[in-house]
Amino acid sequence: MGAPVRGALVFFFLLLAGAAAETAPEEPTLPSAAADGAASSGTTSGAGAGTGINSNSVLVALLDSHYTELAELVEKALLLQTLEDAVGKHNVTIFAPRNEALERDLDPEFKRFLLEPRNLKSLQSLLLFHVLPARLPSGSWSAVSHPTLSGEEVELAAAANDGAMRVAHAAVTRPDAVLRPDGVIHGIERLLVPRSVQEDFNRRRSLADISAVLPTGAPEVDPRTHRLKKPAPPVPPGAPPVLPIWDAMAPGPSIAPAPAPGPGSGKHHFDGHSQVKDFIQTLLLYGGYNELADILVNLTSLATEMGRLVSEGYVLTVLAPNDEAMARLTTDQLSEPGSPENILYYHMIPEYQTEESMYNAVRRFGKVRYDTLRLPHKVVAREADGSVKFGHGEGSAYLFDPDIYTDGRIAVQGIDAVLFPPDDTKTAPDTAPVRRAPAVTGTRKKNKLRRGQPFSSDLNLRFLLNY
């Protein structure tokens, strides 16, 4: 074989070797023992700082583990990003309480305190108190105080006789429950509560107890006169109690502010349009009454009429059906001209009524009839199941959301159904009787003169002829 042929073959084999070297897959590198040791001492490893959270992370293992209650609290406390940043910087050690410790063993009042939105900082401090910024497996356990991600230190201990591991006052029931390259999870028997969270809880509970007790000898203000009430005179032993008549009566429209001068006076002391806008905005923010708010916004004439009435000194109570009740309305009920206006006029009472005044009235009188803006129809209220029930039979509605909006001029009470006035057949006796023409007979009946009836032309002619 000639020299040129041998040279070409050698060059061809060199090309094949280079291509194989370029396409060969790289072997995955695992963290070395030296790197683990550096992470356990709190130093930052180069691989942990350069890579993000992957499926083999200790944080993913916590969210997928059987410590579901702790993982749920971490998500509610908005700590996922904080823990991701901590895992990206260094190894961590997580002390995870068992689910029973958070479900049944935890004080219900303390759990309610943690889940309140205003106590988010306390919940975050409590959860970060369970995370150490270092890798601490059971083989490296030592009885020292170790800093946590919350900024406070936690005591680590080990029993001398059996070597049982403890964190503060909780025993480690499952050491090394989860081992990952970037952290360790130890199972513990109870929740760890830092001193700052316990002090915050005690302070809030003490303030709640203090605010719930009325100070002895506190002055009372009369809601009608806005003046201090005078102390009642002493009652002799055995005498009946002296109860003022105003205190015995159920609070009603009389406690509302005095109305402004009537229509046409030119003195409009109330801005009714602003108050109507306020209560429509309150319906939207309250939630569940968007359909009613849309009707009031679209029917500008109705909202304008309400604002004019309030500006002239009148008061209104609106029985507001919720969205579920409005969704049950059929097309036939809304297709007739003026149907939305008539429906809403029947839900407006020209009085200022709160949930307390309505309930006291139906408890005292059994059945109360309220006038509506859809004259002459009235809405009937009665007591039922410890609440106020409006209407009759299947078309009745319960007081569902009391006192959604109360400003002294407009009161909004949420109900769970749309009310309709009784059928016209039921109101037939109240209407004028139908007048029919008299039957024609062969003999003419002489008209009987009634008191107050003027003389007819025929009688006038007879009177003049006789005269």
Side-chain angles (χ1 to χ4, degrees):
M1 187 180 294
V5 177
R6 287 197 298 270
L9 290 175
V10 171
F11 180 71
F12 179 71
F13 284 120
L14 289 176
L15 287 177
L16 291 178
E22 291 179 359
T23 58
E26 296 183 358
E27 293 293 333
T29 58
L30 296 176
S32 60
D36 290 344
S40 63
S41 61
T43 59
T44 304
S45 62
T51 60
I53 301 300
N54 53 32
S55 59
N56 200 30
S57 173
V58 67
L59 186 56
V60 177
L62 174 64
L63 298 178
D64 294 339
S65 65
H66 60 275
Y67 299 104
T68 55
E69 290 292 327
L70 180 64
E72 198 172 315
L73 286 179
V74 169
E75 293 181 359
K76 289 182 179 179
L78 309 176
L79 288 178
L80 289 178
Q81 187 61 43
T82 303
L83 294 179
E84 286 181 8
D85 296 341
V87 171
K89 294 178 182 178
H90 41 63
N91 279 207
V92 296
T93 300
I94 302 176
F95 300 111
R98 54 193 177 90
N99 288 339
E100 292 79 5
L102 297 176
E103 289 178 350
R104 296 191 296 267
D105 300 344
L106 193 61
D107 182 13
E109 187 177 356
F110 183 67
K111 187 174 183 179
R112 187 165 53 251
F113 162 79
L114 293 176
L115 296 180
E116 289 182 359
R118 62 176 179 176
N119 301 325
L120 180 62
K121 293 294 184 182
S122 299
L123 178 60
Q124 292 176 344
S125 299
L126 181 136
L127 294 176
L128 293 178
F129 189 68
H130 292 72
V131 184
L132 305 182
R135 184 183 184 88
L136 196 65
S138 58
S140 305
W141 196 270
S142 58
V144 294
S145 296
H146 208 289
T148 63
L149 290 184
S150 67
E152 302 183 50
E153 293 190 350
V154 63
E155 292 286 342
L156 306 181
N161 50 0
D162 56 355
M165 301 160 52
R166 298 189 65 85
V167 183
H169 300 289
V172 179
T173 56
R174 298 186 62 188
D176 299 336
V178 177
L179 291 175
R180 291 294 185 270
D182 55 357
V184 185
I185 297 179
H186 299 296
I188 58 178
E189 64 175 352
R190 67 177 67 179
L191 188 71
L192 303 178
V193 181
R195 183 187 299 273
S196 59
V197 176
Q198 187 65 47
E199 291 177 352
D200 193 11
F201 170 65
N202 294 337
R203 189 183 311 110
R204 293 286 176 87
R205 184 168 54 181
S206 300
L207 290 176
D209 294 340
I210 293 174
S211 60
V213 177
L214 185 66
T216 304
E220 297 182 8
V221 179
D222 191 343
R224 298 173 183 83
T225 62
H226 299 286
R227 297 179 180 178
L228 295 179
K229 288 185 177 181
K230 296 182 179 180
V235 180
V242 179
L243 185 64
I245 183 62
W246 287 107
D247 293 342
M249 293 179 60
S254 58
I255 66 174
S265 65
K267 299 178 181 180
H268 304 292
H269 296 291
F270 300 100
D271 187 2
H273 299 286
S274 297
Q275 289 178 279
V276 171
K277 291 180 181 178
D278 288 343
F279 103 77
I280 294 177
Q281 186 70 16
T282 303
L283 287 178
L284 294 173
L285 296 177
Y286 191 87
Y289 295 89
N290 297 333
E291 296 293 335
L292 178 62
D294 290 341
I295 293 178
L296 291 174
V297 170
N298 294 325
L299 295 177
T300 55
S301 59
L302 179 60
T304 303
E305 181 68 15
M306 293 176 62
R308 186 180 65 82
L309 290 174
V310 176
S311 297
E312 292 175 354
Y314 296 97
V315 291
L316 292 174
T317 298
V318 181
L319 304 179
N322 56 18
D323 289 344
E324 296 180 1
M326 299 294 289
R328 291 194 292 267
L329 290 175
T330 62
T331 307
D332 296 337
Q333 293 172 331
L334 296 174
S335 59
E336 298 180 3
S339 293
E341 291 90 341
N342 291 333
I343 292 175
L344 291 186
Y345 278 136
Y346 188 64
H347 289 74
M348 295 182 186
I349 301 174
E351 301 177 17
Y352 184 77
Q353 293 286 349
T354 62
E355 184 265 344
E356 183 181 2
S357 64
M358 285 185 171
Y359 185 68
N360 288 340
V362 296
R363 282 193 62 187
R364 175 162 300 179
F365 304 109
K367 181 186 295 185
V368 181
R369 295 178 181 270
Y370 293 104
D371 292 325
T372 65
L373 295 187
R374 185 178 177 182
L375 299 174
H377 298 289
K378 298 185 178 183
V379 61
V380 180
R382 60 174 60 86
E383 182 187 9
D385 302 329
S387 180
V388 183
K389 184 179 181 181
F390 302 95
H392 304 273
E394 297 181 356
S396 59
Y398 283 91
L399 184 58
F400 191 71
D401 289 321
D403 297 340
I404 297 177
Y405 180 85
T406 52
D407 64 351
R409 312 299 304 171
I410 300 176
V412 181
Q413 310 294 336
I415 57 178
D416 61 353
V418 179
L419 299 174
F420 291 95
D423 298 336
D424 294 337
T425 56
K426 298 180 180 179
T427 59
D430 298 334
T431 60
V434 178
R435 303 183 65 183
R436 298 183 180 181
V440 179
T441 59
T443 60
R444 185 174 180 180
K445 186 178 181 181
K446 187 179 294 186
N447 293 330
K448 184 179 181 181
L449 185 63
R450 292 183 298 176
R451 180 181 298 178
Q453 182 178 1
F455 289 105
S456 63
S457 58
D458 188 16
L459 293 177
N460 286 335
L461 180 59
R462 293 182 183 178
F463 180 79
L464 291 175
L465 291 176
N466 294 331
Y467 185 76

